[in-house]
Amino acid sequence: MSWVRMSDFPDTDLMRPSPLVETPAAIPPELVELHGFGRTATTRSHLAQIDSVAGAISALRKAGDRGVVPRGLGSSYGDAAQNAGGTTLDLTNLNQILQVEADGESPTVTAQAGVSLDALMKALLPFGLWIPVLPGTRQVTIGGAIGADVHGKNHHTQGSFGTHVRSLDLLTADGDVRTLTPAGDDPDLFWATVGGMGLTGVILQATIAVQRTESAYFVVDTQRCGDLDELMATMSQGDEDYTYSVAWFDAVTRGKHLGRAVLTRGNKAKVADLPVKLRTEPLKFVAPSYGTVPEVFPNRMINRATVKAFSELWFRKAPKHKVGEIQNITSFFHPLDSVTDWNNVYGSNGFLQYQFVVPFSEHEAFRRCVHLIVGSGHPSFLNVLKRFGPGDPAPLSFPMPGWTLTVDLPISEGLDRLCTSLDELVVGAGGGCYLAKDSRLGPETLRQMYPRLDDFLAVRHRVDPDSMFTSDLARRLRL
Ligand SMILES: Cc1cc2nc3c(=O)[nH]c(=O)nc-3n(C[C@H](O)[C@H](O)[C@H](O)COP(=O)(O)OP(=O)(O)OC[C@H]3O[C@@H](n4cnc5c(N)ncnc54)[C@H](O)[C@@H]3O)c2cc1C
C-alpha cells in the first residue's frame, strides 16, 4: 500500500482557485457574484471557504433560511453551484489526496472532494494509474464529478464517474458524516448523491477505482464523414472497437453536407505503440498552456459568419482518414484546457450549452433535432456527438443508451424558442437534458425527462426534510 499526500507532489499549485468567483468592489464583501461556465444567470451569495470537515459542519450550523449548496470549480454551465441569497460552500480547499493503493488487482485512490481531476491525474500518472472517466475539461473537482455523475468519450465502454466510486463520505443536513457504498447500508442515498447535484449533502471525500496504464498517450484514428447519415452509420458500426469515441460536427452547413463531421476514436497506447523518442518517459503529462482569453470580446463575436468560417476550416484541416496517430492527453482529450477562460469569447451575454440524449431507437427524432439546430440560424461551433452505453442506478444521472449531442449557443434573441422546440422533440423521444449544462428547464419538463425523479426526491426528503441543501437550480426545478 502506498500513501501519498498532495504535498508530496511538486505540481500541487496546479490546483487553481475557482476562476469564476468575482468580488466587484460595489458589492458588500461578504457577498460574491457567482455564475457557471456559461457566464449567465449570475447571482450573489455568501461564500464559505471550507478547509476542514469541522469547517463544513460549522457552515451547515450557520446556514440561514436560504440554505447551502456545495461548489467545486464552478465548471457546470448553469446555476447548479450557486445559491442566491444563501450560502455557497467552496470545497476547493479540501484538496488532499489521502491514499493511493497502487498494488494489487484493483487500484484505488482516496481523495478529498475538492481535488481537481487535473491535480489527480498529475499525481496518479507516475504510478501508472489512470482516471477511468474524464469529462471534456480536467478543471472539475471530485465532488463535482460525482455530483453531476460526469461522463467522458468512453461512456459506451466505461460508464460514468459514479460507476467507479467505491465509497464516499457525505455530510448530511443533520450534521452527521455517513460513509456510503454502492451496495452498503444505504445504497439509495449513495445513488441519489451520484448525479444528485449537491442536494443530498456535502461529499467530503471519495474512494475511486482507477485503472492501470502504460502511457499517457493514445492511438487515434481520425476520419471525416460527409454527412449525418454517414456519421451515424460509421459510429454505430465501429465504436465498440474503441475505448474512446467522439465526433465534432458542423452545425451550420445545410443541404447535402448537413451533419458532416470529424470522427476521432482511440485507445490507450502501450509503450510498444509509442515512437522511440516517447518511450523513455511514457507517463509524462503533456499539457501546454496557450494563455488566458481576456474579457474583451463583444457579444456578437460568435455569429453565423465567424462560426461558418471556423467550421469550414476545422473540417478541411482534419485528415480525410488517418490511422494509428499517437496523440497526447491535451490534443486527444482536453484541447480546450490549454486556453484558460476561453468562454470569454462569448462576450458578457454568455452562452448556453444544450446537451440532450435520445435512445438509439429514436434516430429519426435525433435527426429532427439536428435539422432544427442547423436550420435555426443560431450558430454553434463546439458540437460534440457521442454514443452513450448503459446508465447507472442513479435516478438523476443523465446518461442512457443513445445518441447524445452537445451544442454551444451564444445567448441571443429566439434562443429559448429553439431550446423549447428541442425539449419537445427530446421528451417525445423519451430522452432528457443534462442538468450540469442546464440553466433554463422548468419543473414540468424535468419531470418528463427524468422518470425516476420521485425516487430521488424520496431520498432527498428523507435525509434533508427542510431542504437545507438547495441551489438556484433546485429552486428553479422545484427539487
Ligand atoms: C469545457 C467543459 C467541458 C465539459 N465537458 C463535460 C463532459 O464531457 N462530460 C460531462 O459530464 N460534463 C462535462 N462538463 C461539465 C462538468 O464536468 C460538470 O459540470 C462538473 O460537475 C463540474 O465540476 P465542478 O467541480 O466544477 O462542480 P461545480 O460546477 O462547482 O458543481 C457541479 C454540481 O456538483 C455539486 N457539487 C460540487 N462539489 C460537491 C461536493 N463536494 N459535494 C456534493 N456536491 C457537490 C454542486 O452542488 C453542483 O450541483 C464540462 C464542463 C466544461 C466547462
Side-chain angles (χ1 to χ4, degrees):
M1 179 186 295
S2 326
W3 288 79
V4 184
R5 293 208 150 255
M6 283 290 282
S7 51
D8 296 339
F9 293 95
D11 271 335
T12 49
D13 59 345
L14 290 159
M15 178 72 218
R16 62 174 193 174
S18 175
L20 303 175
V21 178
E22 296 156 13
T23 338
I27 294 171
E30 74 274 19
L31 287 172
V32 292
E33 288 200 338
L34 293 171
H35 55 68
F37 196 75
R39 297 165 56 85
T40 56
T42 301
T43 55
R44 300 194 300 175
S45 63
H46 301 272
L47 189 68
Q49 304 286 347
I50 305 302
D51 298 314
S52 62
V53 177
I57 293 170
S58 155
L60 290 201
R61 290 208 179 106
K62 288 185 203 148
D65 293 347
R66 300 282 292 177
V68 297
V69 69
R71 181 176 174 101
L73 279 163
S75 290
S76 43
Y77 277 70
D79 51 2
Q82 45 194 92
N83 181 20
T87 303
T88 303
L89 308 176
D90 180 342
L91 272 303
T92 54
N93 286 338
L94 277 190
N95 62 359
Q96 297 275 301
I97 295 174
L98 303 169
Q99 185 178 345
V100 179
E101 275 207 48
D103 307 330
E105 283 293 295
S106 312
T108 58
V109 59
T110 302
Q112 290 183 317
V115 172
S116 73
L117 297 189
D118 184 65
L120 190 61
M121 179 184 278
K122 286 165 184 158
L124 291 181
L125 269 176
F127 291 90
L129 297 177
W130 181 250
I131 303 168
V133 172
L134 288 163
T137 173
R138 292 185 304 276
Q139 299 305 336
V140 311
T141 62
I142 287 174
I146 299 172
D149 196 18
V150 302
H151 56 270
K153 299 177 188 9
N154 57 350
H155 190 275
H156 65 296
T157 56
Q158 308 280 325
S160 50
F161 200 88
T163 313
H164 305 272
V165 177
R166 293 293 166 262
S167 79
L168 58 85
D169 283 3
L170 185 73
L171 170 61
T172 42
D174 52 12
D176 280 356
V177 177
R178 304 159 192 227
T179 299
L180 302 167
T181 61
D185 292 344
D186 196 346
D188 289 346
L189 181 54
F190 176 90
W191 288 112
T193 301
V194 171
M197 306 308 288
L199 300 176
T200 59
V202 184
I203 300 160
L204 296 167
Q205 64 179 56
T207 298
I208 298 149
V210 290
Q211 300 171 344
R212 294 193 195 289
T213 185
E214 285 188 25
S215 85
Y217 294 87
F218 302 85
V219 187
V220 180
D221 296 349
T222 306
Q223 138 179 32
R224 284 200 224 159
C225 298
D227 61 29
L228 190 60
D229 286 342
E230 186 187 338
L231 173 66
M232 290 172 79
T234 310
M235 289 179 84
S236 300
Q237 283 152 22
D239 271 4
E240 299 315 317
D241 297 337
Y242 299 91
T243 307
Y244 302 97
S245 168
V246 67
W248 167 87
F249 86 90
D250 175 343
V252 284
T253 298
R254 305 175 198 196
K256 67 179 181 166
H257 294 305
L258 183 137
R260 66 180 178 172
V262 180
L263 176 58
T264 319
R265 299 188 283 192
N267 292 307
K268 290 302 318 279
K270 296 190 184 320
V271 173
D273 297 323
L274 300 179
V276 175
K277 65 176 182 181
L278 294 180
R279 287 188 196 169
T280 45
E281 284 187 283
L283 292 166
K284 187 174 175 190
F285 178 87
V286 184
S289 171
Y290 301 114
T292 300
V293 175
E295 284 189 75
V296 293
F297 286 89
N299 284 324
R300 301 288 297 158
M301 238 286 288
I302 306 291
N303 56 45
R304 207 170 154 72
T306 53
V307 170
K308 192 146 181 49
F310 267 130
S311 302
E312 189 67 35
L313 196 72
W314 201 259
F315 186 75
R316 301 254 162 243
K317 90 170 187 36
K320 274 193 180 143
H321 198 179
K322 191 166 188 176
V323 176
E325 187 185 2
I326 299 294
Q327 291 190 3
N328 64 34
I329 294 166
T330 303
S331 49
F332 183 59
F333 253 112
H334 297 125
L336 292 171
D337 278 2
S338 47
V339 184
T340 308
D341 296 340
W342 60 263
N343 51 346
N344 281 337
V345 299
Y346 286 91
S348 58
N349 282 354
F351 67 115
L352 178 146
Q353 185 165 99
Y354 190 92
Q355 180 170 3
F356 69 93
V357 59
V358 294
F360 288 124
S361 56
E362 296 290 336
H363 41 85
E364 272 318 309
F366 178 77
R367 280 192 179 82
R368 281 207 292 283
C369 290
V370 172
H371 280 265
L372 197 58
I373 293 165
V374 176
S376 71
H378 289 277
S380 173
F381 171 66
L382 270 175
N383 313 303
V384 175
L385 179 65
K386 296 179 203 161
R387 284 165 56 85
F388 279 154
D392 62 29
L396 273 200
S397 179
F398 168 63
M400 60 157 85
W403 296 100
T404 182
L405 178 64
T406 307
V407 283
D408 275 4
L409 298 157
I411 303 297
S412 67
E413 183 79 26
L415 183 56
D416 193 51
R417 260 197 316 280
L418 167 66
C419 294
T420 304
S421 304
L422 287 169
D423 292 345
E424 282 165 16
L425 281 171
V426 169
V427 165
C433 288
Y434 188 16
L435 292 185
K437 310 284 177 75
D438 174 52
S439 50
R440 49 159 294 282
L441 285 177
E444 291 314 318
T445 316
L446 179 84
R447 183 159 282 281
Q448 292 171 303
M449 290 179 167
Y450 284 82
R452 296 182 56 211
L453 184 61
D454 284 338
D455 295 351
F456 171 77
L457 292 177
V459 179
R460 169 157 159 63
H461 293 149
R462 166 163 65 87
V463 293
D464 185 10
D466 300 323
S467 298
M468 171 188 279
F469 287 96
T470 188
S471 62
D472 292 353
L473 175 140
R475 274 186 286 267
R476 175 166 56 81
L477 294 172
R478 297 205 203 110
L479 288 173

